[in-house]
Amino acid sequence: MPRPNTFARAIIIAAATIALDLVLVLSANADPLQAFAWAPPVIAPAMVQPMPRDQAPDTDAADLPARLKRQVVAYNGAEAAGTIIIDTPNTYLYLVLGGGRAMRYGIGVGREGFTWAGVQAVTKKVEWPDWNPPADMINRQPYLPRFMAGGPGNPPGARAIYLGGTLYRIHGTNNPMSIGTQVSSGCIRLTNEDVTDLYARVGIGTKVIVLSTGHRADAARDRRG
């Protein structure tokens, strides 16, 4: 019978060694299953690449009425380019572009008794904000969570734009079908797709004009007539 070559001998020796080690480990443990306990490998933080939350599936503006979808309209008002105008009664937000144009977004606004008006400035911008319902909201709705980490399931949605020192924000929503309705406690909500677009266009210090019931953005109309 021919002698095994060097490689084959190495395989046989390795197999025998593994078998012997396994027998020794099993005999040393009261519970034989402990010999197969698995510990995850140590992974350096830099090796972990989580999927961006922006890639999470989202049902946004596809099913909204045409009037509430983001679109460029004519604007003949006096406000400078970069100004945000919130037309509360008509559930529109305008971003003045200049040159007689504005970007119009459909929004959800405060329900009856929770609308407000005034002039503020953007003081902070946050991607995928956490949610900390204020005390007065919890008093009205005690079932609300006291804290919710940012993410696709979070009511403030993908972006938040903070207004002055108030509790009010322009933010996204995980309920896009609420756009065009009076539903919030005073915050202005857009679809996640639209608030992400607006977020990229405005900076800290942006002027925000919130119009009350009975007013509307001056001479703003759909460019198609």
Side-chain angles (χ1 to χ4, degrees):
M1 180 176 178
R3 297 175 61 187
N5 60 34
T6 302
F7 179 76
R9 285 201 304 272
I11 294 296
I12 294 170
I13 292 171
T17 301
I18 292 171
L20 179 60
D21 288 344
L22 181 59
V23 170
L24 293 175
V25 170
L26 289 174
S27 63
N29 286 277
D31 181 2
L33 292 180
Q34 292 180 2
F36 296 95
W38 179 80
V42 176
I43 301 177
M47 297 171 62
V48 180
Q49 298 293 333
M51 184 181 75
R53 284 177 290 186
D54 285 332
Q55 294 180 10
D58 189 17
T59 54
D60 260 345
D63 298 325
L64 290 180
R67 77 173 188 88
L68 295 175
K69 294 184 178 181
R70 183 171 76 242
Q71 54 196 281
V72 175
V73 299
Y75 173 73
N76 298 322
E79 298 299 332
T83 304
I84 291 174
I85 304 171
I86 296 171
D87 184 351
T88 302
N90 294 295
T91 63
Y92 293 139
L93 181 152
Y94 296 90
L95 174 64
V96 180
L97 301 176
R101 301 179 306 143
M103 184 70 75
R104 190 179 77 187
Y105 306 80
I107 58 175
V109 299
R111 59 188 181 275
E112 187 175 354
F114 289 86
T115 58
W116 59 284
V119 179
Q120 294 290 339
V122 172
T123 51
K124 186 168 71 168
K125 297 168 57 181
V126 177
E127 298 185 8
W128 294 103
D130 296 335
W131 187 39
N132 295 277
D136 58 345
M137 183 181 290
I138 290 175
N139 289 337
R140 295 191 305 270
Q141 301 166 281
Y143 55 84
L144 292 176
R146 273 43 178 179
F147 171 81
M148 219 174 158
N154 198 352
R159 302 288 186 272
I161 300 170
Y162 292 74
L163 303 180
T166 73
L167 294 176
Y168 300 123
R169 292 172 287 175
I170 299 169
H171 61 74
T173 179
N174 60 3
N175 180 19
M177 299 315 296
S178 65
I179 301 304
T181 67
Q182 296 177 321
V183 65
S184 77
S185 294
C187 287
I188 306 302
R189 63 176 64 177
L190 293 81
T191 65
N192 282 339
E193 178 183 333
D194 281 356
V195 78
T196 300
D197 180 86
L198 178 65
Y199 184 99
R201 294 174 183 268
V202 302
I204 304 300
T206 293
K207 182 181 180 181
V208 180
I209 302 171
V210 182
L211 302 177
S212 62
T213 302
H215 297 82
R216 60 166 297 161
D218 183 30
R221 63 184 184 278
D222 192 311
R223 200 175 265 287
R224 294 171 297 183

